[in-house]
Amino acid sequence: MTADVMDQTTGAGEEAAAEKIRAMRERINEIDQTIIDLWLERSGLSQEVGKTRMASGGTRLVLAREREIIEHFRNALGPDGTQVALLLLRSGRGPL
């Protein structure tokens, strides 16, 4: 492959770069699947926590806990962490 013949699946102009990109994308795909699996596990656990809490006469939500989670993600990931945390929380309890 030469610079004037670009690999259509990677956008690379050289075969060595295309191979490197394919390898990195394979690892990205593995990481994505792990994130999805953990997301689903976390969501299920969060739903169970809510059901257990409500069945015992507790509240539907514990806002202090939600704030703690949001702050943790914000500290770890910066401003985007807030959005990640909000999405995680929503998947575990549903929309308010």
Side-chain angles (χ1 to χ4, degrees):
M1 181 179 335
T2 64
D4 58 333
V5 181
M6 191 178 318
D7 181 281
Q8 295 300 307
T9 61
T10 65
E14 298 175 359
E15 184 57 34
E19 284 299 319
K20 186 173 182 176
I21 290 168
R22 282 193 278 281
M24 288 186 287
R25 285 182 176 172
E26 184 175 323
R27 181 63 184 134
I28 287 170
N29 290 343
E30 292 169 357
I31 292 168
D32 287 350
Q33 189 58 55
T34 299
I35 291 169
I36 290 166
D37 293 343
L38 290 171
W39 184 290
L40 293 172
E41 180 181 0
R42 187 196 188 288
S43 180
L45 288 168
S46 183
Q47 290 170 17
E48 284 299 313
V49 166
K51 288 176 188 174
T52 303
R53 185 175 48 246
M54 289 173 54
S56 73
T59 61
R60 179 170 180 248
L61 300 174
V62 177
L63 295 179
R65 172 66 176 150
E66 291 201 356
R67 283 191 298 272
E68 178 184 313
I69 292 166
I70 292 167
E71 185 65 23
H72 176 71
F73 275 82
R74 184 182 312 128
N75 289 338
L77 303 174
D80 289 340
T82 300
Q83 296 304 312
V84 171
L86 291 171
L87 289 168
L88 279 170
L89 291 168
R90 183 174 181 186
S91 76
R93 61 156 153 68
L96 295 177

